[in-house]
Amino acid sequence: MAPSKAQLWKSKMLMTTAGLLLFLGWVASVSCSVTYDGKALSVDGKRRILISGSIHYPRSTPEMWPDLIEKARNGGLDVIETYVFWNGHEPSPGKYYFEGRYDLVRFIKLVQQAGLYVHLRIGPYVCAEWNFGGFPVWLKYVPGIEFRTDNKPFEDAMQSFTSKIVSMMKAENLFEPQGGPIILSQIENEYGPVEWNLGAPGKAYTKWAASMAVGLDTGVPWVMCKQDDAPDPVINACNGFYCENFKPNADYKPKMWTEAWTGWYTDFGGSIPSRPVEDLAYSIVRFIQNGGSFVNYYMYHGGTNFGTTGGLFIATSYDYDAPIDEYGLVREPKWGHLRNMHKAIKQCEWALVSADPKVTSLGSNQEAHVFQPKSGSCVAFLANYDPTYSVKVNFGNGQYDLPRWSVSILPDCKTEVFNTAKVNAPSYRPRMIAVDGSFSWQSYLEETASAFADDTTTMVGLYEQSNITRDSTDYLWYMTDITIKPGDLTSGQDPFLSVASAGHVLHVFINGQLAGTSYGHLNMPKVTFTSNVKLRVGINKLSLLSVTVGLPNVGLHFETWNTGVLGPITLKGLSSGTWDLSNWKWSYKVGLKGEALDLHTVSGSSSVEWVKGSLLAQKQPLTWYKTTFNAPAGNSPLALDMWSMGKGQVWINGQSIGRHWPAYNAHGTCRPCDYAGIFSEKKCRSNCGQPTQKWYHVPKSWLNPIGNLLVIFEEWGGDPTKISLVQRQ
Ligand code: GAL
């Protein structure tokens, strides 16, 4: 029986619908999707070897972003990675900030415009040597909260921020399936070791975090780094100086390296770390020859910890010895050598994602890794793992020179196009050249706060610092009165004061005079001040200025770590024996007077009387300095050479360029650095015995052509007349 007209129409419709569905399915799978298998991530249906680099948007200025991204693109990167900095975006609960250096959407769109992808590491715990690991300080005071574990208040807050970011990205069509650049996202950060310590609640939290993230339906894969048990479909990834032996937790997941450390961070009091590019390149090529398909340089541009964004004792410079230096200039030969390597790797891409390596021995410490897909193409890596001896090896019909600790890349199994230890990129040293002209300074003395004054709060006992300041300032005064009666002092000996503080820096004032300063370091933030002190009969004003240098960003339950003067505070050598002051009445004052007056701003700085010329304060603790200057001609990046100063903070036109602390000399040992052999962050150090950081980056976009206001708060005492503006060339 012939089909009826209606049946014909129905089947035609069905065919058209099926065709349409097929077409849509094809569009979804071919033009817009990110998937993965055991070989690699696939973008738009194509397996890729992806080279990525970390650039943290708040560590540079929006004006620098296009150039940094362009330099990353020219350096052969496919992907830009950034963390998302929760405490920058949600300074108080539910009040969001996405402007200026925190304009995440603008940053991502610039990456997209440059034709690169984005790996968005939402965290929202980020570590990153960033204040409090990225957590807003208010989070600590959410009732019942415990960070990074199976804890409802924490999980609620984390989910709310993560969802906020994901929905922002979706609203802007920034995920790859929407036509955007984001091909990958990260939840949590290096949680594996924490989970191991916490046991069951840690495991439960991992499961929760993974399923919460996956439930947000971004359309792109999620990763968890340093998390061996990342639940499916989340990919576990490696972080470290070397990752060649890393294996994902399932054979259907690609081998990814989310942090290939290009150098290391600097802490105040520490020397300057660097990592030879020969070793960095060696580690990357070893990863690739072992089947790795995604590498992210941490950092590709490190940048600057402006303001008080740095973590515990972290220096203001976050240069990291990255391929692009703090100032946005390419660092050679690092940048160029890696670019050459990326070119070589890209020549091999197809074979790498299509075949598994066949490994053969070329000698006692030498190997060939050969990728030979069925199509007939052939890629070889020839490796010499020996840190001491260079060798000649025979491979195919040729002979190849392999320097010690190096790998050669042969995209056709014949021609060596790159060797990790043969550096052909240019090499040069940047110079810091003083700009003509000197500053004309004015000074203003900060008040030494005193106990029981109207602007103080009095409590019995000693209290934790960030509890009181909520990290609104680095400074908290602890003050009390010591009343000495005529018979209290024993003759011939000043009493002995001991003040124990949980950190990080402590200035002790007695009757308005600095009696001394104690300070810690990254591995020992606690300090104890001990000294004989002059006390007079009558009332003596004891004023302790406790200073934080960033909140911890890493460690088990770092939110419970204390700062500030928690005691004991004792006075010994009095005729009645030892006095314990810890439970006395203490007055508290949050912040400095100059902070309350906004002395760092144009309007605030004109609210007080400054002195200059012969009255200019020199080498005086607690002093504010100001000057104005014109922007120098030329395009070179700028810095302040602060070598003559002690410790404090610097502002330009009201914006903080960060904490300065040139008086802290780098401890430790600096030895000549050989590229070969296992690298660790302690290996290639420089600057021992010199100030950890004397140059402070001044972003060009913060300057007006004329009349820029430069304000410094100096805690220790310094000589501002020796400060100079320098150009980096
Ligand atoms: C990693 C961490 C990064 C950063 C790095 C050191 O363990 O994931 O955020 O802190 O160490 O620079």
Side-chain angles (χ1 to χ4, degrees):
M1 203 174 73
S4 71
K5 250 187 171 184
Q7 274 172 326
L8 273 176
W9 182 83
K10 206 172 153 193
S11 66
K12 197 170 163 195
M13 275 310 287
L14 274 173
M15 274 158 64
T16 324
T17 319
L20 189 71
L21 285 175
L22 264 177
F23 173 73
L24 286 177
W26 176 80
V27 167
S29 70
V30 174
S31 70
C32 283
S33 79
V34 186
T35 55
Y36 64 78
D37 60 17
K39 291 254 68 164
L41 287 181
S42 293
V43 187
D44 299 348
K46 218 176 127 198
R47 282 188 190 140
R48 296 294 311 273
I49 299 289
L50 291 168
I51 310 287
S52 171
S54 295
I55 301 179
H56 295 159
Y57 51 99
R59 286 180 154 142
S60 53
T61 60
E63 291 75 11
M64 291 168 73
W65 294 345
D67 184 57
L68 295 175
I69 295 166
E70 190 54 21
K71 283 173 174 148
R73 199 176 67 86
N74 290 337
L77 263 53
D78 308 294
V79 183
I80 302 293
E81 177 275 339
T82 183
Y83 281 128
V84 177
F85 297 88
W86 187 358
N87 51 12
H89 292 305
E90 199 178 352
S92 51
K95 300 245 166 3
Y96 293 101
Y97 182 77
F98 288 95
E99 311 286 316
R101 286 186 290 118
Y102 290 90
D103 193 343
L104 175 60
V105 168
R106 177 169 168 192
F107 180 76
I108 294 179
K109 287 187 173 170
L110 285 170
V111 176
Q112 181 176 27
Q113 279 161 28
L116 302 181
Y117 297 125
V118 170
H119 172 25
L120 195 65
R121 300 171 89 194
I122 301 179
Y125 168 67
V126 299
C127 192
E129 293 69 70
W130 189 261
N131 196 38
F132 220 34
F135 288 138
V137 173
W138 56 258
L139 193 66
K140 178 176 166 177
Y141 301 98
V142 170
I145 206 157
E146 267 181 82
F147 285 7
R148 305 181 73 204
T149 185
D150 189 19
N151 169 278
K152 183 87 168 59
F154 178 77
E155 290 171 349
D156 286 349
M158 170 163 164
Q159 176 159 11
S160 142
F161 181 72
T162 309
S163 320
K164 163 94 189 170
I165 296 299
V166 166
S167 49
M168 255 181 105
M169 300 298 112
K170 281 189 184 170
E172 300 281 345
N173 293 320
L174 293 175
F175 286 106
E176 209 274 349
Q178 303 175 287
I182 306 174
I183 55 164
L184 200 63
S185 288
Q186 179 176 300
I187 194 76
E188 251 295 337
N189 188 75
E190 296 195 333
Y191 189 67
V194 182
E195 179 185 305
W196 191 85
N197 271 291
L198 296 183
K203 278 198 185 342
Y205 168 69
T206 298
K207 283 213 177 97
W208 169 85
S211 85
M212 184 273 286
V214 171
L216 294 174
D217 211 8
T218 58
V220 302
W222 286 93
V223 278
M224 284 177 145
C225 60
K226 261 204 201 166
Q227 177 90 54
D228 291 345
D229 61 350
D232 282 1
V234 177
I235 306 166
N236 63 313
C238 183
N239 290 348
F241 289 115
Y242 305 95
C243 279
E244 63 273 3
N245 295 325
F246 169 78
K247 283 204 170 39
N249 63 15
D251 56 9
Y252 44 84
K253 294 182 185 178
K255 175 165 169 159
M256 299 177 68
W257 189 357
T258 34
E259 289 180 27
W261 297 324
T262 54
W264 199 241
Y265 60 82
T266 303
D267 56 295
F268 282 122
S271 50
I272 308 295
S274 63
R275 184 176 186 191
V277 69
E278 295 91 331
D279 177 64
L280 177 59
Y282 172 79
S283 70
I284 305 288
V285 178
R286 285 195 66 179
F287 180 71
I288 300 284
Q289 73 168 9
N290 280 6
S293 56
F294 179 99
V295 177
N296 176 66
Y297 294 106
Y298 187 100
M299 300 294 297
Y300 195 73
H301 169 257
T304 309
N305 294 314
F306 295 115
T308 53
T309 57
L312 183 65
F313 279 100
I314 298 301
T316 296
S317 168
Y318 197 66
D319 179 85
Y320 222 89
D321 195 33
I324 305 179
D325 73 15
E326 175 178 11
Y327 299 86
L329 302 177
V330 294
R331 168 169 280 120
E332 293 290 20
K334 206 169 223 180
W335 182 87
H337 190 54
L338 296 177
R339 181 203 47 200
N340 296 344
M341 178 182 79
H342 302 148
K343 274 192 197 148
I345 292 173
K346 280 300 151 75
Q347 281 179 261
C348 309
E349 183 172 13
W350 190 79
L352 292 174
V353 298
S354 308
D356 291 327
K358 245 179 78 193
V359 184
T360 51
S361 168
L362 298 176
S364 58
N365 225 348
Q366 293 77 32
E367 271 178 0
H369 290 227
V370 179
F371 295 76
Q372 207 160 10
K374 289 196 186 83
S375 72
S377 69
C378 180
V379 158
F381 294 81
L382 309 184
N384 178 13
Y385 307 131
D386 199 306
T388 322
Y389 298 106
S390 300
V391 290
K392 272 191 199 320
V393 293
N394 294 313
F395 175 75
N397 296 326
Q399 205 181 46
Y400 299 85
D401 281 322
L402 298 181
R404 61 205 178 100
W405 200 256
S406 80
V407 190
S408 287
I409 303 180
L410 286 55
D412 59 357
C413 280
K414 288 195 189 90
T415 333
E416 172 190 309
V417 299
F418 182 84
N419 173 279
T420 56
K422 298 177 188 168
V423 180
N424 296 318
S427 176
Y428 52 75
R429 265 177 174 270
R431 287 178 305 159
M432 295 301 225
I433 297 169
V435 170
D436 286 344
S438 58
F439 296 117
S440 155
W441 292 100
Q442 304 184 21
S443 64
Y444 170 80
L445 291 186
E446 170 71 29
E447 236 165 50
T448 309
S450 101
F452 312 116
D454 290 348
D455 56 353
T456 65
T457 309
T458 299
M459 296 185 278
V460 173
L462 298 163
Y463 288 87
E464 203 274 337
Q465 179 154 347
S466 48
N467 229 325
I468 297 180
T469 63
R470 298 291 158 110
D471 205 31
S472 60
T473 165
D474 283 358
Y475 302 99
L476 178 64
W477 287 101
Y478 293 74
M479 299 155 290
T480 196
D481 285 351
I482 305 176
T483 307
I484 299 286
K485 290 198 226 60
D488 285 337
L489 297 172
T490 49
S491 62
Q493 204 194 341
D494 288 330
F496 184 78
L497 177 68
S498 164
V499 182
S501 161
H504 309 135
V505 175
L506 179 65
H507 303 290
V508 177
F509 294 85
I510 290 174
N511 297 323
Q513 295 299 311
L514 183 66
T517 292
S518 299
Y519 51 98
H521 55 86
L522 182 54
N523 300 325
M524 184 34 83
K526 289 185 182 166
V527 294
T528 304
F529 170 88
T530 50
S531 173
N532 289 95
V533 288
K534 285 243 167 305
L535 295 179
R536 59 189 177 216
V537 171
I539 292 177
N540 293 273
K541 294 271 168 200
L542 175 62
S543 306
L544 309 173
L545 182 58
S546 176
V547 191
T548 50
V549 189
L551 299 181
N553 60 273
V554 63
L556 203 58
H557 279 304
F558 64 78
E559 78 272 21
T560 60
W561 299 7
N562 291 328
T563 51
V565 183
L566 293 175
I569 303 181
T570 57
L571 203 53
K572 290 190 172 143
L574 295 154
S575 51
S576 56
T578 300
W579 295 6
D580 186 346
L581 284 53
S582 316
N583 287 316
W584 285 18
K585 274 191 182 161
W586 286 88
S587 287
Y588 292 83
K589 189 179 170 199
V590 174
L592 306 165
K593 182 176 172 207
E595 288 182 305
L597 292 170
D598 279 340
L599 289 192
H600 64 288
T601 67
V602 175
S603 58
S605 71
S606 51
S607 67
V608 298
E609 286 283 319
W610 299 73
V611 297
K612 56 184 175 187
S614 60
L615 293 175
L616 185 79
Q618 288 263 13
K619 302 264 176 204
Q620 285 245 31
L622 308 195
T623 307
W624 293 82
Y625 293 103
K626 75 164 183 176
T627 187
T628 52
F629 68 100
N630 298 339
N635 289 323
S636 308
L638 298 172
L640 283 173
D641 185 342
M642 299 284 292
W643 69 271
S644 59
M645 301 303 282
K647 179 186 181 299
Q649 215 182 126
V650 186
W651 295 263
I652 305 244
N653 293 329
Q655 302 209 60
S656 169
I657 67 168
R659 298 184 179 105
H660 71 271
W661 198 348
Y664 209 155
N665 283 347
H667 49 67
T669 339
C670 297
R671 292 189 203 91
C673 168
D674 178 21
Y675 81 83
I678 296 285
F679 180 82
S680 86
E681 70 279 10
K682 298 200 178 76
K683 190 175 164 188
C684 297
R685 295 280 179 155
S686 59
N687 224 39
C688 292
Q690 303 293 312
T692 291
Q693 189 180 350
K694 67 171 187 168
W695 290 311
Y696 294 82
H697 179 204
V698 175
K700 289 214 93 167
S701 60
W702 291 8
L703 297 185
N704 305 316
I706 55 167
N708 298 290
L709 177 67
L710 165 58
V711 177
I712 296 172
F713 174 62
E714 174 55 48
E715 286 168 31
W716 286 18
D719 178 357
T721 64
K722 307 264 166 46
I723 296 174
S724 58
L725 190 64
V726 296
Q727 285 180 323
R728 186 167 176 94
Q729 293 178 350

